[in-house]
Amino acid sequence: MPGGLLGIEGLDRGEIEAILERARHFQKQQAETRKMDTLRGRMIVNLFFEASTRTRTSFEIAAKRLGADTISITASGSSVDKGESLVDTLNTLNAMHPDAIVMRHAASGAPHFLARYLVATPIINAGDGTHEHPTQALLDARTILDRRSTLEGLRVAIIGDIAHSRVARSNMYLMSKFGAHIVLCGPASLVPQALAEITPGVTITHDMRDALRDADVIMMLRVQLERQHEAAFPAGEYFHFYGLRLEHMELAKPDVMVMHPGPINRGREISSEVADSQRSVILNQVENGIAVRMAVLDRILSN
Ligand code: CP
């Protein structure tokens, strides 16, 4: 962890608990102090080769709240547009001696490559291809634990395009380490049986009603058309079989939490009535992204 954060798979429970506790501390502290000087004089580069609203903004806010300087670089508008290679971009940035690099990339493993290449600079994975999105799983866990005392024994239904989802993978690793029951659901083309082998405690169904029955947590996922090479599922048909609607809510526990990492596609994987309902914690997830990313930066960078 002091060397960066590449994924949830390699973290043990103690490290995850320490980040979530620290995030809890920052959740409370943010109500009183908007700006701290824990990371004053540190420089964090946010290097986003893929679109992002929530992750990029909240890493930037988190770093600034801790007193660090930040620089945000996106592929469009940088010299990547002029054909600069990843290695040359990394060498260029490293010559400016950042204290950490937060990286999102469409290629699975890109941050791991960067970490092997720039051994002295902590790398934080902000989402790599279909592989992992560790801070999303951490903020999801923080959001659940704000409302439940433990993850152990919770029934967590993850519904949608699991095959292409780094959010699903990171959450599966995290929830499994804490003894949650994970139910994956979606069309067979987007939820292949092999996904059940990734972690213990996973079952697969292609029937939405089975997945929702007695769920404590429902995590809805966007269909990632940008990562699909096969013909897309027609939107109306998808919503009919796998879209979360008010009529589904009675199947789950009465206090079920509806989550979504965003961006949401209303009327495709979730109805507006559910997204805006009392059961939805979607904006709480966004809010917790700041405290969790503060905790990660603090753990990696403060002395
Ligand atoms: N959840 C998430 O990663 O959102 P962004 O793509 O907007 O960062």
Side-chain angles (χ1 to χ4, degrees):
M1 186 70 193
L5 173 62
L6 296 177
I8 297 293
E9 185 179 11
L11 295 185
D12 61 31
R13 272 180 68 138
E15 285 171 297
I16 294 169
E17 280 164 347
I19 296 167
L20 296 177
E21 262 314 298
R22 194 73 180 140
R24 184 89 195 106
H25 161 80
F26 285 127
Q27 283 175 322
K28 291 183 192 150
Q29 196 165 17
Q30 281 185 93
E32 297 145 25
T33 321
R34 299 290 282 183
K35 186 130 182 159
M36 291 150 240
D37 62 2
T38 326
L39 298 184
R40 191 155 47 130
R42 303 301 191 93
M43 199 248 287
I44 297 166
V45 170
N46 290 322
L47 183 57
F48 278 67
F49 289 95
E50 256 196 347
S52 169
T53 298
R54 283 145 283 270
T55 312
R56 185 158 70 93
T57 313
S58 61
F59 262 115
E60 191 148 346
I61 295 171
K64 285 192 160 77
R65 291 244 166 107
L66 291 169
D69 298 316
T70 61
I71 296 169
S72 276
I73 299 166
T74 54
S76 93
S78 75
S79 289
V80 172
D81 267 356
K82 300 179 199 161
E84 188 169 64
S85 72
L86 182 57
V87 168
D88 285 333
T89 302
L90 299 180
N91 278 330
T92 303
L93 293 173
N94 204 40
M96 299 178 206
H97 304 294
D99 292 289
I101 297 177
V102 177
M103 184 196 206
R104 170 170 288 191
H105 202 285
S108 300
H112 306 70
F113 166 76
L114 178 56
R116 279 196 300 276
Y117 195 75
L118 306 180
V119 284
T121 309
I123 308 300
I124 300 166
N125 182 0
D128 65 318
T130 60
H131 179 223
E132 279 228 43
H133 191 350
T135 55
Q136 180 69 45
L138 290 165
L139 74 87
D140 289 344
R142 183 63 272 164
T143 304
I144 296 169
L145 289 169
D146 287 346
R147 292 159 184 78
R148 299 281 191 284
S149 56
T150 178
L151 299 174
E152 186 158 2
L154 293 185
R155 183 174 161 92
V156 180
I158 308 181
I159 298 172
D161 179 3
I162 318 282
H164 300 100
S165 176
R166 54 199 178 205
V167 173
R169 261 180 197 69
S170 285
N171 264 301
M172 286 165 73
Y173 289 128
L174 193 151
M175 297 297 158
S176 159
K177 286 177 201 281
F178 287 87
H181 303 298
I182 303 150
V183 184
L184 305 180
C185 178
S189 58
L190 300 179
V191 189
Q193 283 298 327
L195 288 170
E197 308 303 319
I198 291 182
T199 56
V202 176
T203 55
I204 289 182
T205 173
H206 303 296
D207 181 336
M208 175 103 164
R209 298 180 74 81
D210 278 350
L212 294 176
R213 205 156 283 121
D214 293 326
D216 296 281
V217 176
I218 304 169
M219 290 187 182
M220 298 305 296
L221 298 175
R222 184 172 68 86
V223 176
Q224 303 199 34
L225 296 172
E226 72 275 24
R227 297 192 210 285
Q228 291 186 23
H229 306 296
E230 59 275 18
F233 221 90
E237 206 173 308
Y238 185 88
F239 188 67
H240 175 73
F241 287 106
Y242 297 108
L244 187 64
R245 303 182 293 275
L246 276 182
E247 73 212 45
H248 291 125
M249 302 308 286
E250 65 194 30
L251 294 166
K253 296 248 176 82
D255 57 353
V256 67
M257 274 173 252
V258 175
M259 308 181 81
H260 194 309
I264 66 173
N265 288 308
R266 293 169 185 263
R268 176 139 195 156
E269 72 270 4
I270 189 168
S271 70
S272 281
E273 290 78 10
V274 176
D276 301 331
S277 73
Q278 294 287 319
R279 299 266 57 91
S280 166
V281 294
I282 295 171
L283 292 178
N284 305 88
Q285 292 172 266
V286 176
E287 185 180 7
N288 286 339
I290 298 175
V292 161
R293 288 169 179 130
M294 286 173 80
V296 168
L297 292 173
D298 178 62
R299 194 161 168 82
I300 290 170
L301 287 174
S302 61
N303 295 321

